């Protein structure tokens, strides 16, 4: 199977460059559960878009520290591409920024989390089953966000919810699947991220994140298998 990763991560700091970037992180996530799949990255945040999206069996959109509300030219171009992908019913998965920009492309609102920053290891509850759902009713993923989807796009179904985040993931038919959090993040990466952001996010948010990471690891491969099953289901 051929998957395109549309990279939206605009963090090119020394911290980011010293660690696997999202092109590698998302490929690693998929290849850990489907080692024979071909994952090709396009840095859409730099204006690098696929010439022909129809050559791919599925598409992933990554996270980003940028806000989808900034309406940068590359973001608006990406929204147009998202609508084309959905119209073609090519399986489309989005994480964090990807989750939000898919919703925004479909005219759903993006709002601030009323509880402030969600940061660290975050608990989600499955509220609806899909054809690709696993068995876990509760899933932990790493995350870091203060903006989120404020209402479902037309035709969407909420599939995950969490504290302060009633739309932690949604689906449209068998061809759109999103999650607010970061399945690609490893425990090592998010541990470093919490310390990197400590001065910016403050003591309360940072200490809460540290405690969440001490409580256990994320269900990274569990969720990777759901993503892979989503793409396989979309090809039927």
């Amino acid at each position: 199977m051929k998957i395109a990763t549309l990279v939206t991560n605009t963090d090119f700091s020394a911290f980011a460059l010293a660690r696997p970037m999202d092109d590698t992180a998302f490929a690693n996530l998929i290849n850990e559960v489907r080692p024979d799949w071909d994952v090709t990255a396009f840095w859409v945040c730099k204006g690098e878009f696929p010439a022909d999206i129809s050559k791919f069996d599925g598409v992933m959109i990554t996270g980003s520290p940028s806000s989808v509300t900034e309406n940068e030219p590359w973001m608006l171009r990406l929204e147009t591409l998202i609508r084309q992908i959905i119209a073609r019913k090519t399986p489309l998965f989005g994480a964090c920024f990807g989750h939000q920009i898919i919703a925004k492309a479909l005219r759903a609102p993006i709002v601030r989390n009323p509880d402030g920053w969600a940061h660290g290891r975050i608990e989600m509850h499955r509220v609806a089953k899909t054809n690709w759902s696993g068995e876990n009713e509760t899933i932990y993923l790493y995350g870091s966000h203060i903006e989120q989807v404020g209402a479902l796009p037309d035709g969407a179904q909420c599939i995950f919810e969490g504290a302060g985040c009633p739309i932690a993931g949604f689906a449209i038919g068998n061809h759109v699947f999103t999650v607010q959090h970061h399945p690609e993040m490893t425990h090592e990466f998010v541990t470093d991220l919490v310390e990197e952001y400590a001065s910016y996010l403050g003591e309360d948010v940072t200490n809460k994140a540290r405690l969440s990471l001490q409580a256990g690891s994320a269900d990274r491969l569990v969720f990777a298998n759901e993503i892979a099953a989503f793409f396989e289901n979309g090809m039927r």
Side-chain angles (χ1 to χ4, degrees), residues 68 71 75-83 101 104-105:
V68 301
N71 293 323
M75 296 179 189
L76 299 178
R77 183 178 174 187
L78 178 57
E79 289 185 36
T80 298
L81 179 58
I82 286 167
R83 289 188 287 268
I101 200 163
K104 183 173 179 290

Side-chain angles (χ1 to χ4, degrees), residues 61-64 94-101 144-145 179-182:
I61 305 178
T62 74
S64 177
C96 196
F97 180 99
H99 158 79
Q100 294 175 19
I101 200 163
S144 184
H145 72 98
V179 69
Q180 174 56 63
H181 308 307
H182 286 270

Side-chain angles (χ1 to χ4, degrees), residues 33-67:
V33 295
R34 298 294 188 275
D36 58 334
W37 286 14
D38 178 21
V39 184
T40 303
F42 298 89
W43 285 85
V44 295
C45 61
K46 299 179 182 180
E48 180 188 341
F49 281 74
D52 185 358
I53 200 68
S54 69
K55 293 183 177 179
F56 295 92
D57 302 307
V59 180
M60 299 187 290
I61 305 178
T62 74
S64 177
S66 295
S67 169

Side-chain angles (χ1 to χ4, degrees), residues 89-210:
K89 294 193 174 180
T90 299
L92 174 64
F93 171 75
C96 196
F97 180 99
H99 158 79
Q100 294 175 19
I101 200 163
I102 291 170
K104 183 173 179 290
L106 299 175
R107 297 179 176 81
I110 306 302
V111 300
R112 287 177 71 86
N113 183 341
D115 293 345
W117 279 90
H119 193 48
R121 177 177 178 261
I122 300 169
E123 182 178 352
M124 301 190 308
H125 300 284
R126 195 187 306 276
V127 294
K129 287 274 192 178
T130 61
N131 292 338
W132 59 87
S133 292
E135 296 300 318
N136 297 40
E137 295 300 322
T138 299
I139 293 178
Y140 290 90
L141 291 178
Y142 302 125
S144 184
H145 72 98
I146 196 167
E147 292 183 330
Q148 58 194 33
V149 175
L152 287 170
D154 288 346
Q157 176 185 36
C158 181
I159 54 176
F160 296 112
E161 67 179 13
C165 187
I167 305 173
F170 65 84
I172 301 174
N174 291 327
H175 58 284
V176 176
F177 175 31
T178 76
V179 69
Q180 174 56 63
H181 308 307
H182 286 270
E184 84 286 357
M185 285 185 178
T186 63
H187 191 82
E188 294 75 17
F189 177 88
V190 76
T191 299
D192 290 347
L193 185 73
V194 166
E195 300 310 316
E196 177 71 9
Y197 280 13
S199 61
Y200 174 64
L201 296 184
E203 184 176 352
D204 289 345
V205 172
T206 300
N207 285 339
K208 184 178 179 181
R210 287 171 179 153

